[in-house]
Amino acid sequence: MKSIKIGIIGFGTVGSGTAKVLTENKESIEKKTSCSVSIKTICVKDMSKMREFTVEGSTMTDNPEDILRDPEINIVVEVMGGIEKSKKVIEEAFKRGKHVVTANKDLVAEYGKELTELARQKNLHFFYEAAVAGGIPILRSLQYSLTGNKIQKIGGIINGSTNYILTRTEIEKLSLETIIEDAKSLGYLESDPSADLDGLDAARKCAILASIGFNSLVTFNQVYVSGIRKIELEDIEYADKLGYSIKLLAVAENREDGIVARVHPALLPKNHPLASIKYAFNAVYVMDEMLGETMFYGKGAGDLPTGSAVANDIVNICKNIANNSKAEYAYNLFEDKKIIAIENQYFQYYVRLKVEKNKKTVSNFVRTFEYYNIPIYSINQWKKEDDLGNQFDEYIVITNKCRELDFKRAIEEINMLENILDEAKSIRIERGL
Amino acid sequence: MKSIKIGIIGFGTVGSGTAKVLTENKESIEKKTSCSVSIKTICVKDMSKMREFTVEGSTMTDNPEDILRDPEINIVVEVMGGIEKSKKVIEEAFKRGKHVVTANKDLVAEYGKELTELARQKNLHFFYEAAVAGGIPILRSLQYSLTGNKIQKIGGIINGSTNYILTRTEIEKLSLETIIEDAKSLGYLESDPSADLDGLDAARKCAILASIGFNSLVTFNQVYVSGIRKIELEDIEYADKLGYSIKLLAVAENREDGIVARVHPALLPKNHPLASIKYAFNAVYVMDEMLGETMFYGKGAGDLPTGSAVANDIVNICKNIANNSKAEYAYNLFEDKKIIAIENQYFQYYVRLKVEKNKKTVSNFVRTFEYYNIPIYSINQWKKEDDLGNQFDEYIVITNKCRELDFKRAIEEINMLENILDEAKSIRIERGL
């Protein structure tokens, strides 16, 4: 039985989750891999910190070199987070002939191609299933199970924190700010929640999904991003009344003329399966002409689901080592497709317009929409009153599909109309995902 | 570039679907595998039959030996169906050093272990992703993506035909017989629909899922099976009124003391995700303590989804051939768990009792339930009239969890009570899947 030794760099949520899964399932993993698999060294930031979970038989260090320079260690697990420092650690691991597993989406979205090249040169494994959608095995499915298909679209809910916030807002009917503060105190959101709320986390995952699914490089900065900060409880309530739920969606489309990758909130009809994905769960749809729709659903975060994904990567490396099988790479970028800007894409929109009470404004904004070729599907009026007792009207306009650029221009002009009280709020509508 | 030649034995739905996917995606498959992949020979039953789809450059034959004896052919695709003859073909293929892909669940459920042994001895691939849940990559996910986990439960809807019938019955409110006849004429059901309606097809898939997921052999005859023939429109309507949908479920549980594998209709609460799986779609849940719940959803049948699964198996073999990587086997049966009989399992039940009008029967059947330790959760009465104008009462009893054996005894006794007009109908209730 071959002995495989693992070094874990970073021992936060994912690192300790990985260690728990490997420890708990040690016996069955050894039967499946025909390898003796053990964690030799764990590198932590602060050696003095008290830990509720430790791994028997492993050594603690605060110096990554103790792992990188140890010739006995076969697999390095990088779960320290951050980009530049992690990149150096992984490069160093490859240089020293070690396989690498990471859960670091920021890193893969930025340097996935470069690091894959390094690994390929040395015939080393580079796996990162945990980087996207936690415990859902979507990357391995794209790389292996759907590899004979030409995937046209990948989309879904891949940020659990924002989905948790949107779900609670819809159910509890409290302001997003209140839920966000509560989510922070419960640990569902970091103290600086920008990466989640601004959609950056989802955009990184979207870039990775598109790169693997379409075999063409998509980087983080090529993904159109709009977060959930501008969503208000009112929008969620209006959407609800009209039969929609608001979700933060990530969508990557593989077209003849290029790739569209986008992350933004969207109204989904309530009978759409993604509308029923609640709280911190993730779900990813894959669309292919031959296969039709396939959906993967599960826990997108948490120590044990994410740790399971890392552990499964490790087990697959062990099997390959035992079998003397060559590494394969998820970033297999033989296509070179251009990225299509969102301005020329067509969407349906939800628009919320706050207007002066009883003024004949509808003809005004309708004329502007029509001037810019924005076909109107429905208009509904609600009578409202602000905290000071001032009455106003609110119109919810649902458009048919129109070009993003035309829509933007129309909204700019509508915002300048006389009786419009606030800036118009707009959210895309997604039906067909 | 290595040249890989394929022989397809059987050219019905799956065979032609496979050929379509391989032909349509030829270019991207060659880029992904670094192999030139072509279909050399297709073996059909009837050479004279007109076919709407043929493969350019391939030869037709009606003799499987033309494929099995051809030294140029690397991969044999067995999609002819049946058990004993297919087994001989596959054994012959292995003997002659050919990798095998099949979609034949009957065969794998019966001889999966034996054929895996043969393949292993010769270091040949034996893949059958298409055998369970068509286009959903559940077998590869169990074998690779969730291999580091100890799976506790696998369950879901894995027979599209019965789900199609149950969905249409619920929506259209027509008798099952009517829908079944219509499904036959539309090609959703074979002219002899026993394998689907009696749950045999689902039981075979259940045996395969359990064997792979739990690494312990479960054969078809070890799966408890009960089909949907006894379900009536009335049951679906009562279930609907009480907030449930009826689905044919396959469930495999991996317990400390053994494995339970079962296929039977069940009432699912309407807010359970499986309750919303409509028509011919399939969905499989995988439960693991570490990972939580993961769900896979997609098309369970049809030429192109199933053909995609076969094509993906072929692509994975090609990659391994190009990389000189060793074959791995889904049937990795290092555990030897016993099979637990369903009689000692605990279920909640739905019971439909037809009783004489206005007779004081409730105390009678309640006393019998209680005598056998069947706790009652709810009793609801409906006033009914048969086609001849005779009035009767119908009671729907929902029990709490009780032992299958006790429940059976109680029902036997209730059936003999004086005022009971028909045999009691009972269906299990599943909440926690």
Side-chain angles (χ1 to χ4, degrees), chain A residues 157 159-169 171-172 188 247 276-282:
Chain A
I157 295 166
N159 180 277
S161 306
T162 47
N163 202 54
Y164 174 86
I165 291 162
L166 292 171
T167 306
R168 278 194 58 190
T169 307
I171 292 172
E172 299 173 27
Y188 279 91
K247 297 288 186 186
S276 63
I277 305 301
K278 300 254 189 297
Y279 298 106
F281 278 91
N282 280 198

Side-chain angles (χ1 to χ4, degrees), chain A residues 24-25 31-32 143-145 147-149 215 290 294-295 297 308 312 316 319 325-326 328 334, chain B residues 24-25 31-32 143-145 147-150 215 290 295 297 308 312 316 319 325-326 328 334:
Chain A
E24 181 70 29
N25 297 346
K31 282 180 189 163
K32 283 176 189 170
Q143 189 186 346
Y144 294 97
S145 300
T147 180
N149 292 96
N215 300 101
M290 304 283 176
T294 309
M295 202 250 267
Y297 164 88
S308 289
N312 277 305
N316 278 287
K319 282 184 181 178
S325 291
K326 224 173 130 182
E328 272 182 54
F334 54 79
Chain B
E24 183 70 29
N25 297 346
K31 282 180 186 163
K32 283 175 188 169
Q143 187 186 347
Y144 294 97
S145 300
T147 182
N149 293 96
K150 280 189 297 192
N215 300 101
M290 303 283 177
M295 200 250 268
Y297 164 89
S308 290
N312 277 306
N316 279 286
K319 282 184 180 177
S325 291
K326 223 173 132 183
E328 272 181 54
F334 54 79

Side-chain angles (χ1 to χ4, degrees), chain B residues 113-322:
Chain B
K113 186 184 172 190
E114 196 178 329
L115 290 170
T116 299
E117 273 321 304
L118 264 185
R120 200 192 294 271
Q121 281 163 25
K122 296 230 154 193
N123 190 24
L124 291 163
H125 289 80
F126 181 41
F127 282 155
Y128 35 85
E129 181 66 75
V132 180
I136 305 175
I138 182 65
L139 302 191
R140 187 161 279 112
S141 293
L142 290 173
Q143 187 186 347
Y144 294 97
S145 300
L146 309 176
T147 182
N149 293 96
K150 280 189 297 192
I151 293 161
Q152 276 102 40
K153 200 166 174 181
I154 307 172
I157 295 166
I158 55 179
N159 179 276
S161 306
T162 46
N163 201 55
Y164 174 86
I165 291 162
L166 293 170
T167 305
R168 279 194 58 190
T169 308
E170 185 175 335
I171 291 172
E172 299 172 27
K173 306 207 183 305
L174 296 169
S175 76
L176 264 89
E177 293 72 36
T178 312
I179 302 286
I180 286 172
E181 284 315 307
D182 199 45
K184 273 189 205 167
S185 72
L186 291 169
Y188 278 91
L189 213 53
E190 317 260 326
S191 54
D192 174 9
S194 313
D196 291 320
L197 299 183
D198 294 332
L200 312 179
D201 173 87
R204 290 187 178 110
K205 293 168 179 168
C206 187
I208 298 172
L209 287 172
S211 300
I212 298 176
F214 307 154
N215 300 101
S216 186
L217 185 65
V218 177
T219 55
F220 165 56
N221 55 17
Q222 291 174 320
V223 182
Y224 167 85
V225 195
S226 154
I228 66 161
R229 289 201 204 250
K230 284 187 185 165
I231 307 275
E232 290 176 293
L233 175 60
E234 284 79 356
D235 297 308
I236 291 178
E237 288 181 326
Y238 281 127
D240 188 51
K241 280 174 192 151
L242 295 165
Y244 299 90
S245 286
I246 299 183
K247 297 287 184 186
L248 182 70
L249 288 190
V251 182
E253 290 167 272
N254 190 17
R255 305 206 183 158
E256 278 304 315
D257 55 338
I259 291 170
V260 187
R262 52 190 168 92
V263 168
H264 54 76
L267 275 72
L268 281 167
K270 282 193 186 289
N271 63 3
H272 191 290
L274 286 180
S276 62
I277 306 300
K278 300 252 189 298
Y279 299 104
F281 277 90
N282 280 197
V284 184
Y285 263 82
V286 179
M287 258 77 72
D288 166 82
E289 259 174 41
M290 303 283 177
L291 199 57
E293 291 179 355
T294 310
M295 200 250 268
F296 302 77
Y297 164 89
K299 288 191 176 162
D303 58 343
L304 296 175
T306 313
S308 290
V310 174
N312 277 306
D313 279 349
I314 292 171
V315 171
N316 279 286
I317 296 177
C318 293
K319 282 184 180 177
N320 279 356
I321 293 176

Side-chain angles (χ1 to χ4, degrees), chain A residues 109-206:
Chain A
E110 188 85 26
Y111 294 116
K113 186 184 172 189
E114 196 178 328
L115 291 169
T116 299
E117 274 321 303
L118 264 183
R120 199 192 294 272
Q121 283 163 24
K122 296 229 152 193
N123 190 24
L124 291 164
H125 288 80
F126 180 42
F127 281 155
Y128 35 86
E129 181 66 74
V132 180
I136 305 175
I138 182 64
L139 302 191
R140 187 161 278 113
S141 292
L142 290 174
Q143 189 186 346
Y144 294 97
S145 300
L146 309 175
T147 180
N149 292 96
K150 280 189 299 193
I151 293 159
Q152 276 102 41
K153 201 166 172 180
I154 307 171
I157 295 166
I158 53 178
N159 180 277
S161 306
T162 47
N163 202 54
Y164 174 86
I165 291 162
L166 292 171
T167 306
R168 278 194 58 190
T169 307
E170 186 176 332
I171 292 172
E172 299 173 27
K173 307 206 183 306
L174 296 169
S175 77
L176 264 90
E177 294 70 37
T178 312
I179 302 287
I180 286 170
E181 284 315 308
D182 199 44
K184 274 188 206 169
S185 72
L186 291 168
Y188 279 91
L189 214 52
E190 316 262 326
S191 53
D192 174 9
S194 312
D196 290 320
L197 299 183
D198 294 332
L200 312 180
D201 173 86
R204 290 188 177 110
K205 293 168 179 168
C206 187

